[in-house]
Amino acid sequence: MPDAAPVLPHRDFLDIGDFSAAETVALLALAERMRRGQYDRRPLTGKALAMLFMKSSTRTRMSFEIGAIQLGGTAHFLSPRDVQIGRGEPIADTARVLSRYVQGIMIRTFAHQDVVDLAASAGVPVINGLTDRSHPCQVLADLLTVQQHVGDARGRTVAWVGDGNNMANSWIEAAALLGFTLRLACPEGFDPDPSILDAARATGADVHLLRDPREAVSGADVVTTDVWASMGQEEEQAHRAVAFALYQVDAALMARAARHAIFLHCLPAHRGEEVTADVIDGPQSVVWDEAENRLHVQKAIMAVLMGGETL
Ligand code: CP
Ligand code: NVA
């Protein structure tokens, strides 16, 4: 048996359901205190976060890096060009080694199983910074943005328009956890992960998979979408542009939502594809607050998982 890393009690954040509903509410309250500048503790003092990025990133990288520094710690960017994973070192070995140096690991990659495998071998908390399957940190930031602009998500209706991708999957898990209505309009062949949908429905979640974006958006409090081709799907762009042609969020679609409805997009966005410029740059769009909220949510996650902050 190889000697194990000194394993301190820790927990991971790989998907929305890793925090209970009560913990998620408390985590969002902590992030809100941070957003309001009411949090001045530095629970990451002397601690380090390793950030493994197998895909590009602007927001995730910067919010974790700046967030760790603001909490008193450091963050270390690692790309496949820099680390031996790119040359075939097993992810489990990387996890064991990093756990000897750092107090947390954030990873963005393709296969979700790689994150599960990393977490299984790591002796420190692992945070999912996006996989092909889910993007839980982003959906927590979106929930903070909903709270900021609309109020408590419970009892509200969120409309997802477009690809049944990693973001859609995490929204489904959030609807099941927190008890809001989620209507997804996805073209046939681009549905969310059926196991995630089934699991949510088994808990009685109010989640509806539709084909017509107008039906999904009707009276909704929140309208949200994402790119038609996610990272790793670039070669499918042309074929997807045809399949998603009727799934653009434009002013006519927004007009079907509630008058107070907000527009969310995790970014990066392609104006003229999944959303028109007048919507994303218009009065109902809160995408810049949403991007800012990545910082507050990331800090709350790190403070809890790495810094001993309690929920
Ligand atoms: N929304 C999001 O995760 O953005 P990045 O890809 O820039 O990190
Ligand atoms: N669905 C997008 C989200 C980017 C933040 C992707 O995976 O590329």
Side-chain angles (χ1 to χ4, degrees):
M1 273 293 284
D3 59 331
V7 180
L8 299 168
H10 69 272
R11 59 192 297 192
D12 305 312
F13 182 58
L14 306 191
D15 273 309
I16 288 288
D18 287 344
F19 288 118
S20 69
E23 286 174 331
T24 301
V25 168
L27 188 86
L28 292 173
L30 177 61
E32 175 64 16
R33 275 170 58 206
M34 290 169 168
R35 190 181 77 77
R36 292 177 185 225
Q38 295 168 349
Y39 183 94
D40 55 13
R41 295 191 56 215
R42 290 165 69 82
L44 262 56
T45 300
K47 297 185 176 181
L49 175 78
M51 305 187 297
L52 282 164
F53 279 97
M54 306 300 155
K55 292 175 173 173
S56 306
S57 173
T58 299
R59 283 144 286 269
T60 306
R61 176 182 175 174
M62 289 306 290
S63 54
F64 271 106
E65 194 163 327
I66 303 299
I69 293 167
Q70 289 182 0
L71 293 176
T74 59
H76 305 269
F77 175 80
L78 302 166
S79 82
R81 277 190 302 277
D82 306 310
V83 291
Q84 300 284 11
I85 289 180
R87 293 180 57 250
E89 182 166 20
I91 198 140
D93 290 359
T94 305
R96 292 182 185 109
V97 171
L98 290 178
S99 300
R100 299 293 178 108
Y101 305 140
V102 301
Q103 288 68 45
I105 303 171
M106 190 242 85
I107 177 167
R108 165 170 288 196
T109 192
F110 294 86
H112 192 78
Q113 189 59 42
D114 284 349
V115 179
V116 174
D117 292 346
L118 180 82
S121 296
V124 296
V126 172
I127 301 167
N128 173 6
L130 180 147
T131 64
D132 290 345
R133 182 178 185 271
S134 59
H135 197 4
C137 291
Q138 179 71 53
V139 168
L140 283 186
D142 292 9
L143 291 168
L144 184 64
T145 315
V146 170
Q147 206 168 283
Q148 182 183 347
H149 287 282
V150 181
D152 190 1
R154 185 173 289 276
R156 305 279 180 176
T157 298
V158 175
W160 173 270
V161 179
D163 194 15
N165 63 13
N166 41 14
M167 282 294 300
N169 289 333
S170 290
W171 269 111
I172 292 168
E173 293 183 332
L177 188 71
L178 296 180
F180 57 87
T181 300
L182 178 64
R183 296 194 211 119
L184 305 119
C186 308
E188 207 160 352
F190 299 93
D191 289 350
D193 187 315
S195 65
I196 292 177
L197 210 44
D198 289 348
R201 284 176 173 155
T203 69
D206 197 16
V207 174
H208 309 266
L209 179 58
L210 310 166
R211 298 285 172 231
D212 184 353
R214 291 168 304 184
E215 196 185 335
V217 162
S218 177
D221 302 288
V222 178
V223 178
T224 183
T225 187
D226 190 8
V227 289
W228 290 341
S230 284
M231 289 181 275
Q233 299 173 332
E234 288 78 6
E235 72 290 349
E236 297 174 27
Q237 175 66 39
H239 145 73
R240 284 171 167 266
V242 175
F244 287 92
L246 298 176
Y247 289 78
Q248 183 184 66
V249 179
D250 60 12
L253 193 63
M254 279 305 290
R256 292 175 176 271
R259 283 169 68 96
H260 63 258
I262 57 168
F263 173 77
L264 296 177
H265 190 309
C266 63
L267 306 175
H270 296 148
R271 289 170 177 76
E273 292 184 25
E274 74 274 8
V275 61
T276 54
D278 59 341
V279 169
I280 195 166
D281 299 319
Q284 287 172 286
S285 172
V286 292
V287 298
W288 314 120
D289 286 345
E290 181 185 4
E292 176 190 322
N293 285 339
R294 291 297 302 278
L295 174 65
H296 309 308
V297 158
Q298 251 73 266
K299 284 171 67 178
I301 293 169
M302 287 188 286
V304 170
L305 295 186
M306 298 167 61
E309 191 68 61
T310 50
L311 290 174

